Amino acid sequence: MTRVNGQWLSDAGAQEVCALLTDAGHEAWFVGGCVRNALLGAPVTDLDICTDARPERVIALAEAAGMRAVPTGIDHGTVTLVHGGQPFEVTTFRRDVETDGRHAVVAFAETLEEDARRRDFTMNALYADASGAVRDPVGGLGDLAQRRFRFIGDAEARIREDYLRILRFFRFFAWYGTELDPEGLAACAAHGDGLATLSAERVTAEMVKLLSAPDPAPAVGALEQAGLLSRVLPGASAKLLGPSIHLDPVAEIDAMARLAALGGDVTGLRLSKAEARQLGLYHTIMEEAQSAGALGHAHGAEIAQRGLALRAAALERPLDALELRAAEAGAAATFPVKAADLPAALEGPAIGKALTQLKTAWIASDFTASKAELLAQL
């Protein structure tokens, strides 16, 4: 029998939440990402537990045991139990009654098998009990071994239930897969029109998660070949994504830099103000010829170096190590002239104009001009 293990499974709080249910005669199963990631050796972040107990029963058991119960999604069977300061989402087995491609009307189910059949991908429908014993009702273990993301049952039916599953198909492939299921890929391509029915917020969240994968280039390339990238980002191209990722000298992943590499119209996305500023900055660096030192001084070494990688990819040339060092030097340099250093005759807007003029000259000198040399230019 396949088993999972890990600190998350032996966590006292998780075990006590499971025991709360099983001691009362109910089932308790860890499900989804925590089981999948444990089997893949990937980090486990969220713990989802499913049960045959109805939400009101879960709440009653929790309150009797002194646990806090929050009905976070009670209409869909989800109660969040807070135990030891840690939240645990407990959801009653469900089955879909009606779907419209965006939302589902669900009913409670009696068995784990029914619950599994309403999920999206086989490797997301793996369950583990409190001992770590894995239950695989839809063949997810075989797909997991092949790193193949496959829809449960009929791919087109799963997509019609929620068109966001199209983007999730490519996102999960980017993070965990090595093989795209041909049937799933064909179904995604056939139902691309459904993406237009989704909210901008849901699409944006999926795209950011996709672009945050260690190397999303193969998945985004497949998204483009299926004719779906242009539905999300009109005019976008995956051509620069792979080269820009390869050239990127900064270890931390920046989804906005990768979005900049794709180009296209992002007005259909719902980016935060910070994300929009970051994206605009990368576009500016790619389009303008500002020096590496100036970029580093204005934006810091990491943004400057990542922007230089984007520029190099666009120009189809290697990334210049001298430019990377210049960006670091610019980021570390301190402009030697202050307003108090200027001639007393300068007032108002003339002060700002003089400082701008001297800073431009200082940057042009590769940050070597001294205060005296700069003031002598006035």
Side-chain angles (χ1 to χ4, degrees):
M1 174 180 289
T2 301
R3 290 185 174 274
V4 294
N5 54 56
Q7 184 176 357
W8 64 274
L9 184 64
S10 58
D11 176 79
Q15 287 292 319
E16 288 169 15
V17 169
C18 287
L20 174 79
L21 297 165
T22 56
D23 289 352
H26 296 288
E27 297 182 52
W29 298 89
F30 296 102
V31 64
C34 60
V35 182
R36 179 198 66 225
N37 284 19
L39 290 168
L40 290 172
V44 172
T45 54
D46 299 317
L47 296 183
D48 293 324
I49 298 170
C50 63
T51 179
D52 59 341
R54 297 295 194 260
E56 60 274 12
R57 174 68 168 158
V58 174
I59 292 173
L61 289 171
E63 290 178 345
M67 294 185 191
R68 182 183 173 204
V70 183
T72 47
I74 198 163
D75 289 344
H76 287 81
T78 299
V79 177
T80 299
L81 302 186
V82 183
H83 184 48
Q86 185 177 359
F88 299 90
E89 281 199 354
V90 179
T91 303
T92 303
F93 292 155
R94 298 176 294 178
R95 57 183 175 84
D96 288 337
V97 175
E98 181 181 343
T99 60
D100 63 4
R102 292 183 300 169
H103 310 289
V105 176
V106 299
F108 297 134
E110 300 298 327
T111 67
L112 178 148
E113 286 75 15
E114 287 180 281
D115 184 78
R117 286 195 294 271
R118 70 170 298 272
R119 295 179 181 271
D120 49 9
F121 307 108
T122 58
M123 67 170 69
N124 286 344
L126 293 169
Y127 300 73
D129 66 16
S131 73
V134 174
R135 190 160 168 183
D136 177 19
V138 293
L141 286 174
D143 289 328
L144 191 74
Q146 297 296 320
R147 295 287 186 118
R148 177 179 59 238
F149 266 87
R150 184 170 60 86
F151 286 99
I152 294 170
D154 181 71
E156 294 196 15
R158 295 290 79 73
I159 289 171
R160 285 194 296 269
E161 290 165 355
D162 185 353
Y163 290 111
L164 192 69
R165 287 173 172 173
I166 293 174
L167 297 181
R168 285 170 61 83
F169 180 73
F170 293 94
R171 188 248 291 187
F172 280 119
F173 172 65
W175 276 94
Y176 308 115
T178 58
E179 180 183 341
L180 270 174
D181 176 56
E183 180 186 348
L185 181 60
C188 289
H191 292 277
D193 288 347
L195 293 173
T197 68
L198 300 172
S199 70
E201 289 77 10
R202 296 183 79 201
V203 170
T204 302
E206 279 301 319
M207 287 300 296
V208 169
K209 291 175 183 176
L210 166 57
L211 293 174
S212 298
D215 182 8
V220 175
L223 190 70
E224 182 177 36
Q225 291 172 6
L228 299 169
L229 179 61
S230 61
R231 293 180 180 272
V232 180
L233 294 170
S237 169
K239 178 182 177 181
L240 299 184
L241 183 60
S244 67
I245 292 172
H246 174 72
L247 293 172
D248 192 341
V250 184
E252 184 179 352
I253 290 171
D254 186 346
M256 291 303 104
R258 294 170 172 190
L259 187 58
L262 295 178
D265 181 3
V266 299
T267 56
L269 300 182
R270 289 291 182 272
L271 301 174
S272 68
K273 290 182 179 179
E275 289 171 334
R277 284 195 299 270
Q278 191 95 328
L279 178 63
L281 178 57
Y282 287 130
H283 281 151
T284 299
I285 294 174
M286 293 173 71
E287 293 164 2
E288 297 182 355
Q290 195 172 15
S291 71
L295 291 173
H297 183 70
H299 309 299
E302 289 191 0
I303 289 178
Q305 291 178 338
R306 184 169 274 132
L308 290 168
L310 286 165
R311 186 189 291 176
L315 296 173
E316 298 183 348
R317 64 169 175 79
L319 185 58
D320 191 337
L322 293 176
E323 286 191 327
L324 296 180
R325 289 196 289 272
E328 290 180 348
T334 301
F335 182 47
V337 179
K338 296 180 175 60
D341 300 321
L342 299 176
L346 293 177
E347 296 180 352
I351 294 176
K353 183 177 180 181
L355 288 172
T356 299
Q357 173 190 333
L358 296 182
K359 178 170 275 193
T360 300
W362 174 67
I363 292 172
S365 75
D366 287 333
F367 314 104
T368 61
S370 66
K371 180 195 295 187
E373 290 171 332
L374 291 170
L375 291 175
Q377 298 181 29
L378 294 176

